[in-house]
Amino acid sequence: TSHGGKFTLCTGRNGESFYSDKKIDFEINAPIIGLTGSQIYDGKTKTVIEQHCMDDNWADLVVEIIENIEYEQTIELVGVNDCYLIKTSDKDECLRMLSKCSQERLYKITGYTDYKGGAPLDPMLEAICLNRYNVTSNGYGTYEITRLGVNKGFSAVRVKELVGAKKLICVGDFIGDISM
């Protein structure tokens, strides 16, 4: 940054929280990529620059996950206005909760699971999302679902374009970072 370079973060968390929670002790001089690429947030102006929300049929996807995934999971629906937690152990309560929040515009769906398969992502979950949504993971036992084509790499390129950078260098540590 001392030579004119731009530095930012790309995270599964909300970009705004890095500023409000003061979790950083270094200079970020470019918009933060938050919510697994679904949000680009400018900390200087305290505004969301871009939102890449899921389509309006996201509740159908959640029903399909609940009906087809057998292991225990907590599903977090990360909306523009609010977040909702659904525990899949009670399918009736899941459906009630879905009807309550089905009009929310979602950035992403995060699942916290007790999945014990050999791969970081459950192949059944990948099959459910195939050609409809982007699914990845930022840690074992979790998954993150975003709009098709929206991921950390997509938004890293967008930030590169927004700040007029000539080069883009990304570093990551899990499969959710591969798109970068």
Side-chain angles (χ1 to χ4, degrees):
T1 59
S2 64
H3 296 286
K6 301 291 183 184
F7 181 80
T8 190
L9 297 174
C10 188
T11 178
R13 296 175 189 89
N14 186 319
E16 183 178 9
S17 68
F18 277 89
Y19 291 96
S20 63
D21 296 344
K22 296 183 176 41
K23 293 182 181 180
I24 54 174
D25 57 358
F26 47 85
E27 182 184 2
I28 293 177
N29 63 353
I32 285 184
I33 301 158
L35 302 170
T36 315
S38 295
Q39 180 193 75
I40 299 176
Y41 181 82
D42 186 344
K44 289 182 181 172
T45 62
K46 297 184 179 173
T47 58
V48 174
I49 296 173
E50 290 187 10
Q51 295 178 339
H52 302 284
C53 294
M54 298 180 71
D55 64 38
D56 293 338
N57 299 325
W58 63 261
D60 295 339
L61 172 67
V62 174
V63 169
E64 195 171 346
I65 290 169
I66 291 167
E67 290 175 349
N68 290 289
I69 303 290
E70 295 298 322
Y71 46 81
E72 187 68 32
Q73 53 185 323
T74 299
I75 298 174
E76 180 181 27
L77 307 172
V78 182
V80 171
N81 299 307
D82 212 343
C83 290
Y84 306 88
L85 288 177
I86 299 174
K87 294 192 179 288
T88 60
S89 56
D90 184 346
K91 293 194 188 318
D92 291 335
E93 178 59 26
C94 290
L95 297 176
R96 277 192 294 279
M97 184 64 141
L98 274 176
S99 67
K100 174 183 172 185
C101 62
S102 64
Q103 299 304 308
E104 178 75 51
R105 290 187 56 226
L106 284 195
Y107 282 117
K108 71 174 185 170
I109 298 168
T110 302
Y112 304 95
T113 76
D114 66 357
Y115 170 68
K116 304 281 193 266
L121 276 173
D122 178 359
M124 172 64 81
L125 181 62
E126 288 183 292
I128 290 170
C129 293
L130 185 65
N131 297 322
R132 297 170 48 208
Y133 296 93
N134 183 67
V135 62
T136 192
S137 178
N138 285 314
Y140 289 103
T142 68
Y143 61 81
E144 303 201 36
I145 301 170
T146 54
R147 189 172 97 194
L148 189 63
V150 172
N151 53 42
K152 290 180 177 181
F154 166 82
S155 287
V157 170
R158 284 294 302 132
V159 168
K160 177 182 179 265
E161 294 167 353
L162 289 168
V163 300
K166 293 178 184 172
K167 292 183 182 178
L168 174 64
I169 300 170
C170 299
V171 178
D173 64 357
F174 210 73
I175 65 172
D177 301 315
I178 291 172
S179 65
M180 293 190 302

